[in-house]
Amino acid sequence: MWERVIVHADLNHCYAQIEEMMYPELRQVPMAVGGDEQSRHGIILAKNDLAYEYGIKTGESLREAYRKCPDLLIIEPHYDDYLYYTEEVKNIYREYSDKVENFGLDEAWIDLTASQGLFGGNPVEIVREIQERIYKELGLAVSMGVSFNKVFAKLGSDFNKKMGLTVISQKNYKNVVFPLPVDELFYVGKATAAKLKEKSIYTIGDIAYSRQEYLKSFLGKHGEMIWRFANGLDVSDVTLLEYENRPKSIGNGVTAPHDLSTFEEAKNVLRVLVESVASRLKERELRGSVITIGMRDHELHSFTRQRKIDVATNISSEIMQTVELLLKENCMSQYSGYLDRPYRSMSVKVSQLEEDIPQVQLSLFTDESQRQKEKKLDLVIDEIRKRFGYEKIKRCCLNIHQELTSFNPKEEHIIHPESWFKSS
């Protein structure tokens, strides 16, 4: 038996694979799941194997995809189905371990260390059994990596897609992992990979054989971390089912139906996002003291601006006050009422989160009774929307630009908020 058995499972091309499972005829044509091009959400979210053969990539625009394959079939996303079936897959994982850690909808780590004796002792056979059950019971193919830590397990699941199973052990990891390019390693993004290549560090083995202090000299603490990852020294645990990590931030973003040119247009779109973020914070019983906006202009140039506030909050009016100030300070034109350039997308994030408990020490500069009234108003609006629908109640100012504000970012979108704010 292994001393430690960590599995990473990846439901490859998740959205497209679920569509093919529900409608098998889709396997016969180049197909991709994509957004609505008319509303400016026209990107490829997932593609099937036939679309992949045309060079179609996740994240590219529908126009680019159509140029590669004019007969490409685009399927609108059905998020409820994706949520249902990915949870059914994870329910099978949970039959084999109480340590299953989600990594997005389609990926998860499973700790089978304590399960070896219960399911036959051979971890590779246990993993193969899980794969076959998922395929037989749900019609979905999962690739899996088996290793002694989370980082190498994730590398393993990327080796062979479909029903692939790759074992990276204490004995073979140098032969399997070290030849791979640096950007294959977990937490090595484009910016970090570029810095490494400037120093003639091209492979994971190059990272492993470098001095830790040298990597730290130009990458900071991040250099120490990837050195440990490259050498197989990741000892982080797979979290228990009952344990849920507190998020580092809660945010939301949207691409507008047309470029935004006035302050009022941008403010109203941001107000919708702020309400969704404030609602999520209260649901998680959290509040935050750093508020960030992310802006992307019509030429796809992006930037973020943030401000720390004195009293942590989850009240929409307080978050909006800071958001509006950031917008004025960083995006206003010298001509009153206009932005400094057309903006295509925007986002809001609240970070430095803490538990939402009653204030122990009241501020001399804050009317706490008024704050509680604002919070109760938020809660009433959230409850009305939950019971009767999002459109049943909204601020009058949002009716001015209905074509921009008639979206529900909390319920209608699968959000990956951190992607709006990453620079590497």
Side-chain angles (χ1 to χ4, degrees):
M1 294 205 310
W2 290 27
E3 183 178 342
R4 193 168 188 239
V5 182
I6 307 298
V7 178
H8 184 267
D10 188 352
L11 189 60
N12 310 126
H13 308 307
C14 176
Y15 297 172
Q17 193 183 165
I18 290 173
E19 294 289 349
E20 287 184 332
M21 179 271 294
M22 294 189 297
Y23 308 102
E25 62 272 19
L26 294 176
R27 297 190 179 103
Q28 310 304 317
V29 296
M31 178 272 292
V33 178
D36 180 2
E37 191 169 20
Q38 291 185 347
S39 63
R40 302 279 293 278
H41 302 293
I43 63 170
I44 300 296
L45 301 174
K47 71 282 184 190
N48 69 1
D49 289 338
L50 291 178
Y52 175 79
E53 291 176 4
Y54 282 88
I56 291 169
K57 299 177 181 178
T58 301
E60 71 180 352
S61 70
L62 297 190
R63 292 178 183 178
E64 292 172 315
Y66 279 130
R67 278 198 290 268
K68 295 176 181 178
C69 178
D71 296 326
L72 181 67
L73 176 63
I74 298 294
I75 303 294
E76 290 185 5
H78 301 97
Y79 292 122
D80 288 344
D81 292 325
Y82 308 153
L83 288 167
Y84 173 79
Y85 284 108
T86 54
E87 190 63 19
E88 288 296 292
V89 169
K90 288 168 186 175
N91 283 337
I92 293 178
Y93 301 157
R94 293 168 186 139
E95 293 183 30
Y96 292 83
S97 175
D98 62 348
K99 291 186 175 182
V100 177
E101 181 180 343
N102 290 338
F103 190 62
L105 278 182
D106 52 345
E107 300 181 48
W109 280 285
I110 312 162
D111 189 336
L112 292 179
T113 306
S115 307
Q116 296 175 88
L118 296 173
F119 297 98
N122 186 328
V124 178
E125 291 181 2
I126 298 169
V127 171
R128 181 61 73 189
E129 178 182 315
I130 296 172
Q131 279 185 314
E132 291 174 353
R133 277 195 58 192
I134 292 168
Y135 190 74
K136 181 178 180 181
E137 296 174 23
L138 299 172
L140 297 171
V142 180
S143 66
M144 291 189 164
V146 185
S147 192
F148 55 94
N149 65 59
K150 291 167 70 174
V151 171
F152 286 176
K154 179 165 173 55
L155 272 175
S157 69
D158 288 335
F159 264 82
N160 297 301
K161 300 299 183 179
K162 294 286 188 180
M163 296 276 283
L165 196 164
T166 300
V167 178
I168 301 177
S169 66
Q170 292 276 10
K171 293 181 179 180
N172 74 356
Y173 79 89
K174 291 185 179 179
N175 292 330
V176 176
V177 173
F178 281 12
L180 298 174
V182 291
D183 51 10
E184 294 287 328
L185 188 62
F186 202 37
Y187 279 109
V188 175
K190 291 182 179 178
T192 300
K195 291 177 182 178
L196 290 168
K197 290 172 184 177
E198 286 176 2
K199 305 291 184 179
S200 299
I201 298 174
Y202 300 105
T203 67
I204 295 177
D206 292 339
I207 296 175
Y209 289 127
S210 297
R211 290 186 300 109
Q212 191 174 8
E213 296 78 10
Y214 176 61
L215 294 172
K216 185 179 179 182
S217 70
F218 63 92
L219 294 176
K221 290 185 178 180
H222 194 68
E224 292 182 311
M225 180 181 69
I226 65 171
W227 180 87
R228 294 184 63 81
F229 285 177
N231 281 284
L233 300 176
D234 169 42
V235 294
S236 58
D237 288 327
V238 177
T239 57
L240 286 164
L241 280 172
E242 294 80 8
Y243 179 79
E244 185 175 11
N245 284 317
R246 177 191 295 175
K248 293 182 179 179
S249 64
I250 290 180
N252 216 334
V254 71
T255 298
H258 62 74
D259 291 339
L260 308 175
S261 57
T262 71
F263 175 77
E264 285 300 317
E265 287 178 331
K267 185 176 74 171
N268 284 331
V269 173
L270 287 167
R271 189 182 297 277
V272 178
L273 296 174
V274 164
E275 288 183 352
S276 73
V277 171
S279 180
R280 284 195 175 111
L281 285 165
K282 286 189 282 290
E283 285 179 349
R284 301 290 292 270
E285 298 183 346
L286 297 170
R287 62 191 181 203
S289 56
V290 173
I291 297 170
T292 306
I293 64 169
M295 306 293 291
R296 182 175 297 146
D297 67 21
H298 64 301
E299 295 181 344
L300 302 184
H301 298 137
S302 302
F303 68 88
T304 62
R305 297 292 184 269
Q306 67 179 36
R307 174 160 296 190
K308 184 173 174 59
I309 57 178
D310 294 330
V311 180
T313 188
N314 54 19
I315 301 169
S316 64
S317 59
E318 293 184 344
I319 298 171
M320 189 63 205
Q321 185 177 2
T322 301
V323 165
E324 189 171 339
L325 187 62
L326 288 168
L327 186 66
K328 285 180 177 178
E329 291 177 345
N330 298 282
C331 303
M332 285 291 287
S333 167
Q334 59 179 329
Y335 303 104
S336 178
Y338 285 88
L339 300 174
D340 59 350
R341 74 195 84 161
Y343 286 95
R344 174 188 175 94
S345 309
M346 52 189 56
S347 54
V348 175
K349 179 177 73 171
V350 177
S351 56
Q352 280 200 16
L353 303 182
E354 60 185 52
E355 291 184 23
D356 185 20
I357 57 177
Q359 298 287 352
V360 176
Q361 182 175 357
L362 301 180
S363 170
L364 294 174
F365 306 101
T366 304
D367 185 344
E368 190 60 31
S369 63
Q370 181 61 33
R371 294 186 78 237
Q372 293 308 312
K373 288 179 183 178
E374 295 283 349
K375 186 172 183 177
K376 287 178 181 178
L377 177 61
D378 277 357
L379 292 169
V380 169
I381 291 173
D382 286 345
E383 183 62 26
I384 291 172
R385 287 174 171 170
K386 187 183 298 182
R387 293 180 62 184
F388 302 108
Y390 180 79
E391 290 295 330
K392 294 302 181 182
I393 184 169
K394 64 192 303 187
R395 299 177 189 271
C396 292
C397 62
L398 299 182
N399 288 323
I400 300 173
H401 302 104
Q402 290 191 46
E403 78 282 5
L404 297 174
T405 60
S406 59
F407 67 98
N408 177 4
K410 187 180 174 190
E411 303 296 340
E412 295 174 359
H413 297 70
I414 299 296
I415 304 297
H416 306 283
E418 288 303 318
S419 64
W420 287 86
F421 302 95
K422 285 181 180 175
S423 59
S424 64

